[in-house]
Amino acid sequence: MPNLYWMNEEAKVLGKIAVQSKPPDARVLASGQGWKVCDVICAAGPSDPAFEEQHSQLSLAVVMNGTFQYRTSTGCELMTPGSILLGNTGECFSCGHEHGVGDRCVSFHYSDGFTEQAGFDPRRQLFRIPRIPALRAMSPQVARIAGTLTREPDQATFQEVAFEIFDKAMKLQHGSLVRRRSTDTASLGRVTRVLRAMEASPEAPHTLAELAAETRLSPWHFLRCFEEMTGTTPKQFLLRTRLRKAALALKQDSTKILDIGFDCGFGDVSNFNHAFRREFGINPHSYRST
């Protein structure tokens, strides 16, 4: 996400640009011929105005932490950890934090020359949707990105990920083109607060009944709202949050795999091994060794 700014909706109607109070911190991690990767950390919150910005290049941004509302010509979506923001060259967009403070994204930017070499016409609107939800197909790349943020930037690794995530995004967007109906603002705020609580403590049970009670919605209404806003169920979101935490722990330290599984909320090592293999294609021991 290049240089995130926020536009206040009222100011947008009036055609006035507000003063940016909390600009995000953007750091270039790696770059090459036709591509660039940036680490973008934003500290904006509900009291800060939303600003409008424009994608100077074709852009993908992987949400690592936090939540925010992304608005662009292709739609409006709630961005959650593990989801992929999609931006077309020259497209205006705004991001707001109406229901929580801050987020962290790793953004990938591609020149017209790069997209043309990849077999796509850079003059066309390549992305027809604003977001790819947190899907299993992207889990290996998201976990790999999280691992790279804990050490010095690796040019070769980021180049591989930049190419892989571009290719997958172009394919996955076609399976996500069906639009969901809009959800009311009150439900958006309630579900967003629950999302942030799940992200903060993924090891907790977070049952459907408990989550629904926190939002003061019926379990049925909560489940429907959650799926409409995130593109996944609460159970799937919690599982992927736990698995990303486990994948990062496996790479960062030498803690026993059994203990990592328990610390991340899995009741037994067999369940942990099975879930990890389904998500990443290999078991935790092999993942640690790669």
Side-chain angles (χ1 to χ4, degrees):
M1 244 177 332
N3 297 325
L4 295 177
Y5 295 86
W6 319 109
M7 171 180 267
N8 181 277
E9 287 301 299
E10 181 179 357
K12 186 176 181 180
V13 173
L14 296 173
K16 299 176 181 178
I17 303 300
V19 177
Q20 185 177 5
S21 56
K22 291 187 178 180
D25 178 25
R27 176 173 65 102
V28 176
L29 298 174
S31 63
Q33 187 172 3
W35 63 274
K36 181 173 66 174
V37 185
C38 299
D39 182 18
V40 182
I41 300 175
C42 180
S47 61
D48 295 297
F51 277 67
E52 186 180 71
E53 181 57 278
Q54 186 178 46
H55 293 292
S56 60
Q57 293 182 316
L58 191 75
S59 303
L60 301 167
V62 182
V63 182
M64 308 308 299
N65 303 108
T67 58
F68 58 94
Q69 287 75 51
Y70 175 55
R71 302 174 179 89
T72 188
S73 63
T74 55
C76 176
E77 294 286 7
L78 173 63
M79 302 303 301
T80 64
S83 61
I84 315 295
L85 179 152
L86 305 177
N88 294 295
T89 303
E91 192 172 54
C92 293
F93 70 96
S94 67
C95 298
H97 294 74
E98 291 93 331
H99 308 291
V101 177
D103 69 84
R104 184 179 190 179
C105 296
V106 174
S107 61
F108 298 80
H109 311 280
Y110 306 92
S111 69
D112 288 349
F114 179 96
T115 56
E116 191 170 16
Q117 288 182 1
F120 300 95
D121 185 352
R123 295 168 298 180
R124 295 177 54 198
Q125 185 185 51
L126 296 184
F127 294 132
R128 297 171 57 193
I129 55 175
R131 177 203 70 182
I132 294 174
L135 301 175
R136 178 179 295 164
M138 282 292 193
S139 289
Q141 282 71 40
V142 175
R144 192 177 184 188
I145 292 168
T148 61
L149 294 176
T150 64
R151 57 180 185 270
E152 286 298 314
D154 180 347
Q155 177 83 4
T157 297
F158 275 117
Q159 183 177 30
E160 288 180 1
V161 175
F163 291 3
E164 288 175 2
I165 205 164
F166 175 88
D167 184 56
K168 282 197 172 183
M170 294 304 296
K171 295 174 181 176
L172 287 171
Q173 71 159 329
H174 297 295
S176 305
L177 287 176
V178 177
R179 303 297 302 155
R180 297 174 298 280
R181 71 173 183 82
S182 60
T183 306
D184 63 276
T185 303
S187 296
L188 175 64
R190 293 170 182 174
V191 172
T192 301
R193 287 189 288 273
V194 165
L195 276 164
R196 286 180 171 259
M198 295 168 74
E199 181 190 4
S201 57
E203 70 284 350
H206 296 296
T207 66
L208 179 61
E210 291 171 343
L211 294 173
E214 289 180 32
T215 60
R216 291 180 289 177
L217 298 171
S218 70
W220 178 83
H221 191 196
F222 168 74
L223 181 60
R224 185 182 65 178
C225 290
F226 194 100
E227 287 188 272
E228 287 174 349
M229 284 187 279
T230 69
T232 186
T233 67
K235 181 178 180 181
Q236 291 168 337
F237 176 83
L238 183 60
L239 176 62
R240 294 209 165 96
T241 303
R242 289 173 173 175
L243 289 170
R244 286 196 300 272
K245 180 180 178 180
L248 187 59
L250 287 167
K251 293 290 190 179
Q252 282 186 321
D253 56 57
S254 57
T255 303
K256 291 181 179 179
I257 292 176
L258 175 64
D259 293 335
I260 288 176
F262 286 149
D263 290 343
C264 292
F266 294 92
D268 60 77
V269 69
S270 176
N271 183 31
F272 174 49
N273 286 333
H274 177 70
F276 198 94
R277 182 186 288 276
R278 286 190 64 191
E279 193 75 7
F280 298 107
I282 56 177
N283 61 41
H285 183 270
S286 298
Y287 184 85
R288 170 174 271 173
S289 302
T290 57

